[in-house]
Amino acid sequence: MEIKQFDDGKKGKFYIEIEGSQEAEMTYTYAGKEKIIIDHTEVSEKLKGKGVGYKLVEAVVDFMRANNIKAIPLCPFAAAVFKKKHDAYKDVLS
């Protein structure tokens, strides 16, 4: 299962496509050059219960670390994951 990224410099998303259909996504919006707001996570019924949401968070965290970006997780799912794994992710929280 490959996680892809779209980013236009203003907003972006990490997503999973299966057979040409987007089945999961985590979207974000830039709040300046060094900060993003994670605003939405959605996983299709087909992929629910398979840890896909967590994989999207990991992809976002890897992206932030590689680009020295901090996050404001406003999406309830992302906020819960960042709270649950605070010690592992505190370096990328704004």
Side-chain angles (χ1 to χ4, degrees):
M1 190 174 318
E2 178 187 2
I3 297 176
K4 299 178 181 181
Q5 182 183 16
F6 163 82
D7 189 309
D8 68 7
K10 294 180 183 176
K11 60 184 177 177
K13 65 181 177 179
F14 285 85
Y15 63 100
I16 295 171
E17 281 184 351
I18 297 175
E19 297 174 359
S21 176
Q22 184 174 298
E23 298 293 337
E25 73 174 356
M26 179 170 284
T27 61
Y28 59 89
T29 303
Y30 281 91
K33 292 184 179 186
E34 298 174 354
K35 194 177 293 183
I36 60 172
I37 298 168
I38 301 171
D39 49 28
H40 179 71
T41 304
E42 188 170 340
V43 177
S44 72
E45 289 297 323
K46 186 186 294 187
L47 296 180
K48 284 201 176 174
K50 297 183 179 183
V52 171
Y54 284 100
K55 290 176 185 173
L56 292 171
V57 170
E58 285 289 331
V60 170
V61 168
D62 290 345
F63 166 72
M64 289 188 299
R65 287 179 175 150
N67 293 282
N68 198 27
I69 296 173
K70 302 288 185 185
I72 301 169
L74 294 184
C75 161
F77 174 78
V81 173
F82 275 88
K83 184 176 181 178
K84 182 177 180 179
K85 297 188 174 194
H86 179 76
D87 289 343
Y89 296 150
K90 64 185 173 187
D91 63 311
V92 295
L93 285 171
S94 177

